[in-house]
Amino acid sequence: MPEVPLWLWGAFAATVVVSLTVDLLAHRTAHVIGFKEAAAWSGLWVGLALVFGGVVFLVLGTTAGTEYTTAWLLEKSLSVDNLFVFAVIFAYFRVPRAYQHRVLFFGVMGALVFRGIFLSLGVAVVSRFTAVLFVFAAVLFYSTYKLLKGDEESFDPGKSFAVRMLRKVVPVRDEYAGTKFFVKEAGRRVATPLLAVVAAIEAADLIFAVDSVPAVLAVSDDAFIVYTSNAFAILGLRALYFMLAGLLDRFHYLSKGLAFILAFIGVKLVLQASHKMISDSVPEIPSPVSLAVIVVVLAGSVILSIRRPPPAQEDPAPPIIKE
């Protein structure tokens, strides 16, 4: 792949900063985000990701552009699991719906930093130790097994390491104080539950990075491609959550689709490592094929979920998120 010009990194950074600033200003007043508003913002984030992908195609070539698109779509699909965890965290801490965007905004900011660190380390390790790809493949195969068995480890927001450490560092009061993270009580500074929710969101993202980082490194080992694709996928998470809130349970075949995608990426990693370490005769899976498989599996999972709704849908359950 051609060397990434410095101005393209600058264009990416400027796009992210401006977008986050506009988003923050547009939501400076706490309010409940409805479907139409969430859909509009989701469309904006998807549009920005695709436009940036077009720039990558023009500047870096077809291979880089295809890898970017594949990595972005892969991360977007894997991030659906995050949405379920967001719902669990909000329900556990009883976060008022008007405050949820603020929590996710700062959660996304943290995710951009931590993903950057993890992906940089991943690229550095893969470039020096190709054998680690077999380890990454094993991680993805194990994740596939858990998804198919339906026995994924439950995430307890209150017992997450980040929340426990926060409570040790600073006192956390029981009541919310609007959108504030800190208040003063009896002359001392204490945290509100909103800060604990942000800590829980960050802890959840670290858990999901175990799957997403190895998966995206199977698509490309270029730092620019893997980070920019991850960043644009993460930036659209908030709008996607508010757009799909209350509808997530209807896509019951999506977990099976994600399991297939993870297994496919695991096979891609094994072939990629074998090609480099064992023999050039071992075939590799081209990025266009990976992109096609992800698109077909995701579309098939959603369509099948709509055509064959779960039996529980006949007797609707109460909303997951409560005021």
Side-chain angles (χ1 to χ4, degrees), residues 8-18:
L8 191 55
W9 273 109
F12 163 71
T15 301
V16 171
V17 171
V18 172

mmCIF file of all heavy atoms in Angstrom, residues 8-18:
data_model
loop_
_atom_site.group_PDB
_atom_site.id
_atom_site.type_symbol
_atom_site.label_atom_id
_atom_site.label_comp_id
_atom_site.label_asym_id
_atom_site.label_seq_id
_atom_site.Cartn_x
_atom_site.Cartn_y
_atom_site.Cartn_z
ATOM 1 N N LEU A 8 -3.425 13.459 4.912
ATOM 2 C CA LEU A 8 -4.588 12.583 5.050
ATOM 3 C C LEU A 8 -4.848 12.264 6.520
ATOM 4 O O LEU A 8 -5.994 12.209 6.965
ATOM 5 C CB LEU A 8 -4.364 11.302 4.250
ATOM 6 C CG LEU A 8 -5.592 10.401 4.077
ATOM 7 C CD1 LEU A 8 -6.754 11.170 3.464
ATOM 8 C CD2 LEU A 8 -5.232 9.190 3.198
ATOM 9 N N TRP A 9 -3.760 12.075 7.287
ATOM 10 C CA TRP A 9 -3.904 11.920 8.736
ATOM 11 C C TRP A 9 -4.521 13.190 9.328
ATOM 12 O O TRP A 9 -5.414 13.121 10.188
ATOM 13 C CB TRP A 9 -2.535 11.677 9.388
ATOM 14 C CG TRP A 9 -2.104 10.250 9.441
ATOM 15 C CD1 TRP A 9 -1.107 9.672 8.703
ATOM 16 C CD2 TRP A 9 -2.630 9.211 10.274
ATOM 17 N NE1 TRP A 9 -0.979 8.342 9.028
ATOM 18 C CE2 TRP A 9 -1.892 8.033 9.990
ATOM 19 C CE3 TRP A 9 -3.630 9.170 11.237
ATOM 20 C CZ2 TRP A 9 -2.138 6.822 10.634
ATOM 21 C CZ3 TRP A 9 -3.896 7.952 11.882
ATOM 22 C CH2 TRP A 9 -3.150 6.801 11.578
ATOM 23 N N GLY A 10 -4.055 14.352 8.849
ATOM 24 C CA GLY A 10 -4.587 15.620 9.345
ATOM 25 C C GLY A 10 -6.055 15.794 8.998
ATOM 26 O O GLY A 10 -6.847 16.286 9.809
ATOM 27 N N ALA A 11 -6.436 15.381 7.781
ATOM 28 C CA ALA A 11 -7.830 15.480 7.368
ATOM 29 C C ALA A 11 -8.715 14.596 8.238
ATOM 30 O O ALA A 11 -9.827 14.978 8.629
ATOM 31 C CB ALA A 11 -7.964 15.085 5.904
ATOM 32 N N PHE A 12 -8.218 13.397 8.546
ATOM 33 C CA PHE A 12 -8.962 12.491 9.430
ATOM 34 C C PHE A 12 -9.139 13.107 10.813
ATOM 35 O O PHE A 12 -10.253 13.129 11.361
ATOM 36 C CB PHE A 12 -8.226 11.158 9.537
ATOM 37 C CG PHE A 12 -8.662 10.317 10.698
ATOM 38 C CD1 PHE A 12 -9.907 9.706 10.708
ATOM 39 C CD2 PHE A 12 -7.826 10.151 11.801
ATOM 40 C CE1 PHE A 12 -10.321 8.937 11.794
ATOM 41 C CE2 PHE A 12 -8.220 9.379 12.883
ATOM 42 C CZ PHE A 12 -9.473 8.771 12.891
ATOM 43 N N ALA A 13 -8.036 13.604 11.387
ATOM 44 C CA ALA A 13 -8.104 14.200 12.726
ATOM 45 C C ALA A 13 -9.047 15.392 12.752
ATOM 46 O O ALA A 13 -9.855 15.554 13.680
ATOM 47 C CB ALA A 13 -6.708 14.612 13.187
ATOM 48 N N ALA A 14 -8.976 16.228 11.734
ATOM 49 C CA ALA A 14 -9.846 17.414 11.667
ATOM 50 C C ALA A 14 -11.310 17.009 11.549
ATOM 51 O O ALA A 14 -12.187 17.610 12.190
ATOM 52 C CB ALA A 14 -9.448 18.275 10.477
ATOM 53 N N THR A 15 -11.587 15.984 10.766
ATOM 54 C CA THR A 15 -12.967 15.505 10.607
ATOM 55 C C THR A 15 -13.531 15.018 11.927
ATOM 56 O O THR A 15 -14.675 15.325 12.288
ATOM 57 C CB THR A 15 -13.024 14.367 9.567
ATOM 58 O OG1 THR A 15 -12.537 14.844 8.312
ATOM 59 C CG2 THR A 15 -14.447 13.871 9.389
ATOM 60 N N VAL A 16 -12.726 14.259 12.656
ATOM 61 C CA VAL A 16 -13.185 13.727 13.947
ATOM 62 C C VAL A 16 -13.417 14.850 14.948
ATOM 63 O O VAL A 16 -14.452 14.892 15.628
ATOM 64 C CB VAL A 16 -12.155 12.717 14.499
ATOM 65 C CG1 VAL A 16 -12.517 12.320 15.932
ATOM 66 C CG2 VAL A 16 -12.102 11.476 13.619
ATOM 67 N N VAL A 17 -12.460 15.772 15.049
ATOM 68 C CA VAL A 17 -12.579 16.867 16.021
ATOM 69 C C VAL A 17 -13.790 17.749 15.711
ATOM 70 O O VAL A 17 -14.584 18.076 16.602
ATOM 71 C CB VAL A 17 -11.287 17.716 16.043
ATOM 72 C CG1 VAL A 17 -11.490 18.969 16.884
ATOM 73 C CG2 VAL A 17 -10.129 16.895 16.593
ATOM 74 N N VAL A 18 -13.937 18.138 14.454
ATOM 75 C CA VAL A 18 -15.069 18.987 14.069
ATOM 76 C C VAL A 18 -16.393 18.267 14.293
ATOM 77 O O VAL A 18 -17.352 18.850 14.811
ATOM 78 C CB VAL A 18 -14.935 19.420 12.590
ATOM 79 C CG1 VAL A 18 -16.208 20.127 12.127
ATOM 80 C CG2 VAL A 18 -13.740 20.343 12.414
#
